[in-house]
Amino acid sequence: MTAALVWQKSSFSSDEDAPNCLELATHEGAALLRESDAPDDVLRVRPEALAGLIRGVRTGAV
């Protein structure tokens, strides 16, 4: 039996943004990303790759 994924909404999303927010879950060592308005479209990435993207955005490199 597979446990249901627990999706976490972005802390930058408010209730009024509910249909337009980024959600994150983890499964079998991967990070899963989706937009709340397209929940069937899921991007699966390595956590290290996601961390690199976030670092790049924070530093202005991306």
Side-chain angles (χ1 to χ4, degrees), residues 13-40:
S13 297
S14 65
D15 287 336
E16 63 191 41
D17 295 328
N20 301 309
C21 64
L22 180 67
E23 298 175 330
L24 172 73
T26 59
H27 181 66
E28 296 180 355
L32 307 175
L33 301 166
R34 71 179 184 182
E35 291 188 45
S36 57
D37 63 343
D40 293 329

